[in-house]
Amino acid sequence: MNLTVIGYWGGYPKKNAASSGYLLEHKEFKLLIDCGSGVLAKLQNVIQPEELDAVILSHYHPDHNADIGVLQHARLIQGFLGKEQPTLPVYGHTFDQPEFGKLTYKTITKGIAYNPDVPLTVGPFKISFLKTNHPVPCYAMRIEADGKTLVYTADSSFKEEFIEFSRQADVLLCECNFYGNQNGKSAGHMNSIEAGQFAQKAEVKQLILTHLPHYGNLEELMTEASGQFSGIIKLADEFLAISL
Ligand code: ZN
């Protein structure tokens, strides 16, 4: 599996940047995980929108889903220009019907409900879900293919169930929207110390901190998390590429 960070800012995209979006590729299959504001512009540095095989969304907050509409336009217009492409499946939960309804657009994209209680197969990936602690329904994903595992927390404050869910993952893509001296619980987010402790307890190989705050010195997030976690740790960055 190859993971490429397309956007990683929490809440909104920083100037000339993108909020949550991650491209996961395996055996030629291209899955976009979350499609927040700024993602469509940044994605085109890596692949073209018409090359995507599927999209999956953790939840319906604009920093995770705002660019679905422009992704639909991109594929529509490329279709007019002669690039034939199949209907793009966009997987989402159905606990917000108006938002789920927006995932289907003409024959360009089709919203497909995932049942968080049942593992989902998308191309070469097996995806299982864990409901997170967040102000709206949101699902973390454990994505497995050919013996490798990526866990994406999506947005959440820390919850104990994360540890078993993430056990021995090759990569834990963990949200870290707060510094160690801040409490993100009421906002439904984790801080750097919680991310580090979580990674250590779950015995993951590599921790990537993402969904980053717009203030402070981001390197401090790394320092704080690495005080808790003995494995490899990185800050998400534009086009950061990780092979699993
Ligand atoms: Zn959110």
Side-chain angles (χ1 to χ4, degrees):
M1 284 196 253
N2 289 303
L3 172 70
T4 306
V5 175
I6 306 298
Y8 59 93
W9 290 104
Y12 67 97
K14 205 161 184 165
K15 182 170 74 177
N16 299 327
S19 46
S20 301
Y22 309 93
L23 178 66
L24 188 63
E25 297 172 273
H26 185 58
K27 290 184 174 164
E28 309 284 300
F29 194 94
K30 295 173 169 49
L31 172 68
L32 180 65
I33 305 165
D34 282 345
C35 188
S37 180
V39 166
L40 193 78
K42 288 294 176 186
L43 178 70
Q44 292 169 75
N45 291 283
V46 183
I47 62 164
Q48 298 313 301
E50 57 272 21
E51 293 178 77
L52 283 172
D53 295 297
V55 179
I56 190 164
L57 300 179
S58 60
H59 68 304
Y60 306 113
H61 271 159
D63 54 329
H64 295 258
N65 75 338
D67 274 12
I68 288 291
V70 287
L71 169 62
Q72 291 163 336
H73 285 175
R75 291 183 64 113
L76 176 72
I77 291 165
Q78 289 302 319
F80 289 152
L81 296 174
K83 283 194 188 160
E84 264 194 54
Q85 53 211 305
T87 301
L88 179 70
V90 181
Y91 296 86
H93 70 65
T94 52
F95 303 105
D96 183 332
Q97 282 292 344
E99 289 291 347
F100 177 73
K102 293 179 196 169
L103 306 185
T104 297
Y105 176 64
K106 303 179 189 279
T107 57
I108 302 296
T109 60
K110 180 166 174 51
I112 300 177
Y114 58 73
N115 175 350
D117 297 328
V118 178
L120 173 73
T121 300
V122 178
F125 304 114
K126 189 191 119 200
I127 305 176
S128 39
F129 301 93
L130 178 70
K131 190 168 197 291
T132 74
N133 291 338
H134 202 54
V136 298
C138 177
Y139 292 89
M141 300 169 206
R142 182 182 175 101
I143 305 178
E144 295 167 88
D146 284 339
K148 298 290 180 179
T149 302
L150 166 72
V151 171
Y152 170 48
T153 62
D155 286 8
S156 188
S157 58
F158 178 71
K159 60 188 290 183
E160 279 302 316
E161 293 92 327
F162 267 139
I163 292 171
E164 270 318 302
F165 184 73
S166 309
R167 181 72 67 195
Q168 295 184 335
D170 295 280
V171 171
L172 173 61
L173 183 58
C174 185
E175 78 120 276
C176 181
N177 206 214
F178 286 93
Y179 290 88
N181 62 354
Q182 297 176 295
N183 185 344
K185 195 163 186 164
S186 63
H189 291 294
M190 277 180 259
N191 71 26
S192 51
I193 305 253
E194 291 168 318
Q197 289 172 343
F198 162 19
Q200 184 70 16
K201 287 184 189 163
E203 305 169 295
V204 305
K205 291 202 180 86
Q206 185 167 173
L207 170 64
I208 302 171
L209 302 176
T210 193
H211 203 279
L212 302 179
H214 288 260
Y215 51 87
N217 176 1
L218 297 178
E219 292 296 323
E220 278 176 28
L221 298 172
M222 283 260 288
T223 306
E224 290 163 350
S226 59
Q228 309 295 324
F229 176 56
S230 53
I232 301 163
I233 175 162
K234 290 179 184 148
L235 274 182
D237 200 3
E238 192 170 282
F239 311 134
L240 171 70
I242 307 268
S243 290
L244 302 71

